[in-house]
Amino acid sequence: MKQFQFEYKSMETFERELKKIAGWSKTAVSSSALFHIYEDVENQELIDEICVRIRQIVPNALYVGCSSNGNVINGDIATDKVIIRCTFFEYQTTKLKILQYDLEQQDSEAVKADILRQMEACPWLSMIEILVTLNCMSMSDLCDTLNQAPPHVQIFGGAAFSEDMVHEKAAVFSSEGSYSHSGITLIFAGGANWYAFGRLAWDPTLPAE
């Protein structure tokens, strides 16, 4: 794996970082890029613009993100309000799939049933990452659903928060859905050369640039 981490300073510097990432990807053997975006202040307009730039400059990339109450980057507390992490997986056999559910539009029972169907349809699955707003559905029900994954599948993630810890302002978003204040995003990852193991950490621990 290869990671790039940086804080959002301006759209100009962000585009420069994206072009650096796009240039690196052309010289390296890798599978899809996966962006994580965390915002420490609610700013849907900015997030929408960031996502547009990702689609334009790194068109094959997937992305997920959420609002937060404080961010960590390179082992330190971030000083800017938005941080971005891009991960490349070097094996072509790596498979990634993003799911997003909006509980303002979908029934929780239907969402749980679809998650089970999606897990069954992905025999390569080794890891599930979850970002979720706490007001969308019962977290016990969601965890019970995810616990029906095969025993070898590692499951991790957490809740989206807002700057003032108000759940109703928290949001999730992804390349598979829009900015949602009542939502769940899931990242399915795995493949023939994939190995996942559990470790208590803030984020996946990988070499960063």
Side-chain angles (χ1 to χ4, degrees):
M1 293 183 181
K2 171 72 171 179
Q3 281 193 348
F4 298 84
Q5 299 184 55
F6 52 93
E7 298 176 73
Y8 178 88
K9 304 289 187 180
S10 69
M11 193 56 68
E12 180 181 359
T13 59
F14 177 61
E15 289 182 355
R16 193 156 55 239
E17 292 289 349
L18 287 181
K19 289 175 182 177
K20 174 183 175 182
I21 290 169
W24 181 89
S25 69
K26 293 176 181 177
T27 63
V29 177
S30 63
S31 60
S32 297
L34 174 63
F35 283 84
H36 285 75
I37 307 158
Y38 301 107
E39 58 163 349
D40 193 17
V41 60
E42 185 182 12
N43 190 338
Q44 182 177 352
E45 182 178 353
L46 175 60
I47 293 300
D48 287 346
E49 284 296 317
I50 285 173
C51 294
V52 167
R53 295 301 192 281
I54 291 174
R55 291 195 297 269
Q56 290 173 339
I57 299 173
V58 195
N60 294 323
L62 302 175
Y63 58 83
V64 296
C66 68
S67 58
S68 63
N69 185 267
N71 291 314
V72 171
I73 185 167
N74 296 322
D76 293 319
I77 300 297
T79 56
D80 290 291
K81 293 297 185 181
V82 178
I83 66 168
I84 297 102
R85 184 180 73 239
C86 177
T87 303
F88 282 95
F89 302 91
E90 64 266 40
Y91 291 111
Q92 295 294 316
T93 55
T94 294
K95 297 180 184 295
L96 297 173
K97 184 174 187 176
I98 292 178
L99 307 173
Q100 181 169 337
Y101 303 97
D102 187 339
L103 274 296
E104 290 183 347
Q105 307 293 329
Q106 297 168 277
D107 176 76
S108 62
E109 293 300 319
V111 167
K112 290 187 292 181
D114 190 67
I115 291 173
L116 292 175
R117 284 194 296 270
Q118 297 286 350
M119 290 193 297
E120 186 176 354
C122 298
W124 45 263
L125 185 62
S126 294
M127 181 199 85
I128 300 174
E129 180 178 356
I130 178 172
L131 297 174
V132 57
T133 60
L134 292 176
N135 62 342
C136 68
M137 64 180 290
S138 165
M139 292 299 102
S140 295
D141 286 353
L142 178 58
C143 290
D144 288 344
T145 301
L146 293 171
N147 279 337
Q148 295 182 56
H152 70 275
V153 175
Q154 297 290 320
I155 302 172
F156 69 100
F161 285 95
S162 63
E163 187 178 21
D164 54 6
M165 301 295 285
V166 176
H167 294 332
E168 289 74 16
K169 292 183 180 180
V172 297
F173 51 91
S174 75
S175 49
E176 297 300 314
S178 59
Y179 198 90
S180 171
H181 290 288
S182 183
I184 302 167
T185 60
L186 299 173
I187 304 170
F188 285 11
N193 297 102
W194 186 276
Y195 175 68
F197 63 94
R199 176 173 292 176
L200 182 61
W202 179 267
D203 261 329
T205 305
L206 301 168
E209 180 164 318

